[in-house]
Amino acid sequence: MAREYGGSQSHHQLEVKRRRLTWILGVSGLCILFYVLGAWQATPSTRYDLYTKVGCDNSTATSDNNGNAARNGSLTNLDFTSHHQVAIDSSRTVNHFPACDMSYSEYTPCQDKVRGRKFPREMMKFRERHCPAKEEQLLCLIPAPPNYKTPFKWPQSRDYAWYDNIPHRELSIEKAVQNWIQVEGDRFRFPGGGTMFAEGADVYIDDIGKLIPLTNGNIRTAVDTGCGVASFGAYLLKRDILTMSFAPRDTHEAQVQFALERGVPAMIGIMGSQRLPYPARAFDLAHCSRCLIPWSKNDGLYLIEVDRILRPGGYWILSGPPIRWKKYWRGWDRTAEDLKQEQDTIEDTARRLCWKKVAEHDDLAIWQKPMNHLECVKMKKAHETPVICKSQDPDSAWYRNLEDCITPLPDVTSANDVAGGELLKWPDRAFAVPPRLSRSLVPGINVDRFVEDNELWKQRIAHYNRLVTPLRSGRYRNIMDMNAYIGGFAAAVLRYPVWVMNVVLSNSNPDTLGIIYERGLIGTYQDWCEGFSTYPRTYDLIHANGVFTIYQDRCDMTSILLEMDRILRPEGSVIFRDTVELLVKIKSITDGMRWKSQIMDHESGPFNPEKILVAVKTYWTGEAINKQP
């Protein structure tokens, strides 16, 4: 009986094993079958046919006479409209944007000469920002000049620009003696001259370097007021000093446009009745070479503003009238008494700002701002004006009127302390924790967030280099980051031959532009419901990270995109990061702006709801448009 029982048990186990093996083989067979079917469907020819059927292959598109994308009737366009509803001003949404008249080729909406004449000349108010109302904004594309050419690559662009891109000879004639610019055949050449540096900017900067240290990394950010064609900033770049150059529109024809065509940072701006659009303690050095700013007027108001934007220990350099007036007064067509009084007033204002005069040698005079205000507070007992401001936001600078009081520096405990915190030398400061963060002065952003942001942008830039022409190629020089946050994008591209205009939104909370400057980068405040203070065709690449999420309920998306088109060079690129809903709307508008674009996956993969839209502005000129029937 025992054997019979054992035999039955063995037979039962064998049957179970047979069934299990059959099940495993059956499942394995099905898996292999589906794998083979899937591999067959994923072959290149099959995938191409699938995409062609749903109309996703842009290579099959043609254009009608209105510039709108047209496809064969058999193709089906994907339509997200019923699934993704985004508020947009439909009254301003058009399928095709015409070219503006060629008279608008150098249009700057917020520095329009005609509009400016309506404002007072007092304190140069007519040259400040005055933007058009919504109903006055153009709904057309700013044309490039006929025969427009891709600018020279950096560093050749520092010395050369195509005449057809900025067809203005005025400066080559007006400033011929000062050697600002020369016309050589079909191009301009920039010899590096200036009103006060006839031997060239390099020699002039070397002379400054004999008086203050320029190459040890302490000086990284500079501002050049009344910059001309920005040769001072162009030649400081080889010394690792990044200069924000600015000048009013058309004091000398298109000087800021020339600077940007050279690949040198610059923007339209003026010292008038309002603060400059930069935070307090932004620059290591400020420079004026015969910049025509009346420093001795208005109770020293303009020097007070320079004091606000200068970092503790920063330098102010002045060359030209009234410096060395005893030698030059006859050539300046002014009396010796007038020039002496002007210099005395400047010297007195500098003393009342607690500045120390470092040197006056030949045509140069240099002052230094104190490291802190401990002694300055004591000095105010002897020099009552200007007083130290009691309560203000020192970084507030968007349409903020100038104030006739000294911007207070952060408190210190010792006379040797640097107010606000000491910065590391360049290039270490780019990735070191900025004092504004280490001292918890910016709410909502801590040291960990700063470190994470740096790592994030290293990954994103690596991904961008796969999506667009690599940044190291020299294809791009002037880059704008429309929503820069704490400058992670700009810091991540420092090794490439580019510079970045970091834009912090004017109503940003928290205000992060001070952090960007403490990293040794440059930027400005901006409200993207308005035009930017630059000429058309001055940026090679624009980066828009979350801009349209921020502005979708504030102003018209179309206006922002048309402004981006205005400042982007022909064949320039744009990288948008936003939700797929917004990117679909953006693409529908830019298709009518003659841009070629494609929505791509986030660097983390297809399941991230944030997507990337890469767009390229196509090449066309006013001449080509005018020839159309």
Side-chain angles (χ1 to χ4, degrees):
M1 293 291 293
R3 288 180 181 175
E4 184 179 351
Y5 178 80
S8 177
Q9 177 76 7
S10 174
H11 177 77
H12 176 74
Q13 290 177 348
L14 182 62
E15 184 66 24
V16 169
K17 289 181 179 179
R18 186 180 295 111
R19 291 177 181 175
R20 183 179 301 163
L21 180 60
T22 302
W23 183 84
I24 291 173
L25 290 174
V27 171
S28 300
L30 288 173
C31 289
I32 293 171
L33 176 63
F34 285 120
Y35 175 79
V36 171
L37 288 173
W40 176 74
Q41 287 183 338
T43 58
S45 60
T46 304
R47 182 163 59 244
Y48 175 81
D49 292 341
L50 175 65
Y51 287 170
T52 301
K53 288 177 183 178
V54 298
C56 290
D57 185 0
N58 289 335
S59 65
T60 64
T62 58
S63 295
D64 59 22
N65 292 333
N66 295 322
N68 298 319
R71 297 185 180 275
N72 296 332
S74 61
L75 302 184
T76 303
N77 290 325
L78 292 179
D79 181 13
F80 288 86
T81 306
S82 61
H83 305 287
H84 304 283
Q85 296 296 331
V86 178
I88 182 171
D89 186 349
S90 59
S91 66
R92 292 173 59 83
T93 303
V94 296
N95 293 325
H96 170 70
F97 294 90
C100 303
D101 187 83
M102 273 302 298
S103 62
Y104 288 99
S105 180
E106 294 180 356
Y107 179 60
T108 53
C110 295
Q111 282 90 8
D112 181 63
K113 292 184 289 185
V114 176
R115 185 180 298 105
R117 296 191 190 107
K118 302 175 183 178
F119 294 88
R121 300 186 70 85
E122 174 193 5
M123 295 185 71
M124 304 295 285
K125 291 180 180 178
F126 74 107
R127 289 194 183 274
E128 293 178 336
R129 286 177 58 88
H130 305 292
C131 300
K134 181 178 179 180
E135 58 272 14
E136 297 177 303
Q137 294 174 0
L138 298 180
L139 276 175
C140 54
L141 306 176
I142 303 299
N147 304 315
Y148 178 90
K149 300 178 181 66
T150 300
F152 291 94
K153 288 185 178 181
W154 183 265
Q156 190 180 13
S157 66
R158 186 194 69 177
D159 301 324
Y160 292 98
W162 295 113
Y163 175 81
D164 285 330
N165 291 7
I166 315 176
H168 295 291
R169 295 179 180 269
E170 295 87 346
L171 278 176
S172 65
I173 299 170
E174 182 180 348
K175 299 294 181 180
V177 177
Q178 284 127 19
N179 227 15
W180 281 24
I181 184 173
Q182 297 174 355
V183 179
E184 296 182 351
D186 61 353
R187 66 191 67 185
F188 291 108
R189 187 170 73 87
F190 302 92
T195 306
M196 293 306 299
F197 34 98
E199 296 182 64
D202 248 347
V203 174
Y204 176 79
I205 293 170
D206 285 341
D207 288 341
I208 294 173
K210 296 172 184 176
L211 304 176
I212 59 174
L214 289 179
T215 57
N216 66 353
N218 283 330
I219 296 176
R220 165 60 180 174
T221 55
V223 59
D224 189 15
T225 56
C227 63
V229 294
S231 288
F232 180 72
Y235 283 86
L236 278 177
L237 284 169
K238 59 194 273 188
R239 296 161 174 85
D240 271 342
I241 297 175
L242 190 59
T243 306
M244 176 69 80
S245 300
F246 72 83
R249 180 193 160 99
D250 296 337
T251 296
H252 301 300
E253 192 70 48
Q255 54 189 331
V256 167
Q257 191 175 15
F258 275 118
L260 287 158
E261 191 74 8
R262 300 175 70 182
V264 179
M267 61 186 296
I268 300 172
I270 190 168
M271 296 198 77
S273 65
Q274 297 175 342
R275 284 181 170 181
L276 297 172
Y278 317 120
R281 310 193 311 276
F283 298 101
D284 301 307
L285 183 150
H287 173 257
C288 164
S289 175
R290 202 168 187 177
C291 60
L292 305 180
I293 296 174
W295 301 111
S296 63
K297 306 296 184 184
N298 304 310
D299 296 322
L301 200 58
Y302 298 134
L303 282 176
I304 293 173
E305 174 63 358
V306 170
D307 180 80
R308 183 186 71 86
I309 62 174
L310 264 186
R311 190 161 288 139
Y315 297 96
W316 182 57
I317 302 172
L318 177 64
S319 64
I323 305 304
R324 215 177 182 188
W325 60 267
K326 292 180 181 178
K327 178 179 179 180
Y328 294 123
W329 68 272
R330 289 183 180 86
W332 287 339
D333 197 25
R334 292 173 61 183
T335 66
E337 293 77 11
D338 180 36
L339 288 163
K340 180 180 183 304
Q341 182 180 5
E342 181 180 353
Q343 179 155 355
D344 289 344
T345 302
I346 290 173
E347 301 271 11
D348 179 61
T349 303
R351 279 193 299 270
R352 290 187 286 114
L353 289 170
C354 308
W355 293 1
K356 174 185 176 183
K357 192 168 188 179
V358 174
E360 181 172 342
H361 181 72
D362 292 339
D363 298 336
L364 292 164
I366 304 176
W367 287 263
Q368 186 176 23
K369 181 177 176 176
M371 294 292 186
N372 57 64
H373 273 166
L374 283 182
E375 291 298 321
C376 193
V377 171
K378 298 176 182 177
M379 279 184 59
K380 287 294 102 183
K381 297 177 181 178
H383 301 282
E384 294 183 358
T385 58
V387 299
I388 296 177
C389 303
K390 295 298 181 183
S391 61
Q392 62 157 328
D393 179 359
D395 292 342
S396 176
W398 187 247
Y399 293 122
R400 175 76 176 265
N401 288 335
L402 294 173
E403 298 186 27
D404 58 356
C405 56
I406 300 173
T407 299
L409 290 174
D411 293 336
V412 296
T413 57
S414 167
N416 296 322
D417 290 344
V418 178
E422 188 172 1
L423 297 177
L424 295 183
K425 293 184 177 182
W426 182 261
D428 295 335
R429 73 169 71 168
F431 293 99
V433 177
R436 295 185 192 223
L437 292 185
S438 62
R439 297 178 175 222
S440 301
L441 300 178
V442 182
I445 308 175
N446 56 28
V447 173
D448 290 341
R449 182 72 188 94
F450 176 78
V451 174
E452 291 170 3
D453 191 72
N454 285 335
E455 291 302 315
L456 177 67
W457 282 107
K458 288 179 183 177
Q459 299 171 17
R460 289 180 170 180
I461 294 303
H463 186 57
Y464 290 169
N465 279 327
R466 295 188 289 269
L467 300 182
V468 299
T469 304
L471 295 170
R472 63 179 175 274
S473 68
R475 170 67 182 81
Y476 312 106
R477 172 61 183 171
N478 303 350
I479 298 179
M480 174 179 287
D481 191 356
M482 294 177 67
N483 183 23
Y485 189 45
I486 56 177
F489 174 93
V493 301
L494 283 171
R495 65 184 183 276
Y496 302 123
V498 303
W499 67 271
V500 179
M501 178 69 79
N502 292 282
V503 175
V504 170
L505 309 183
S506 58
N507 64 342
S508 178
N509 186 18
D511 180 352
T512 56
L513 192 53
I515 296 173
I516 289 170
Y517 273 95
E518 286 185 342
R519 302 185 69 173
L521 310 171
I522 59 172
T524 183
Y525 294 110
Q526 171 68 17
D527 180 351
W528 285 113
C529 292
E530 301 179 357
F532 191 78
S533 293
T534 192
Y535 282 83
R537 303 173 299 281
T538 45
Y539 285 88
D540 305 298
L541 174 65
I542 300 176
H543 181 247
N545 179 23
V547 172
F548 291 88
T549 291
I550 295 171
Y551 279 94
Q552 61 180 319
D553 297 323
R554 293 188 53 205
C555 55
D556 184 16
M557 180 186 296
T558 301
S559 296
I560 299 176
L561 290 168
L562 286 172
E563 175 62 5
M564 294 171 69
D565 181 83
R566 184 185 73 88
I567 67 180
L568 187 66
R569 297 193 199 278
E571 299 183 313
S573 301
V574 182
I575 299 174
F576 299 89
R577 299 182 70 94
D578 233 307
T579 63
V580 67
E581 295 92 342
L582 282 170
L583 294 184
V584 168
K585 290 293 184 181
I586 290 169
K587 189 178 187 307
S588 70
I589 297 171
T590 59
D591 284 348
M593 292 165 48
R594 307 165 194 248
W595 290 15
K596 300 297 183 183
S597 60
Q598 183 176 358
I599 297 176
M600 300 182 177
D601 284 331
H602 190 272
E603 62 271 4
S604 65
F607 299 108
N608 195 309
E610 182 179 74
K611 302 296 178 184
I612 298 171
L613 175 65
V614 176
V616 176
K617 177 179 175 178
T618 59
Y619 177 88
W620 60 274
T621 70
E623 182 182 49
I625 294 299
N626 291 337
K627 285 184 177 180
Q628 288 186 355

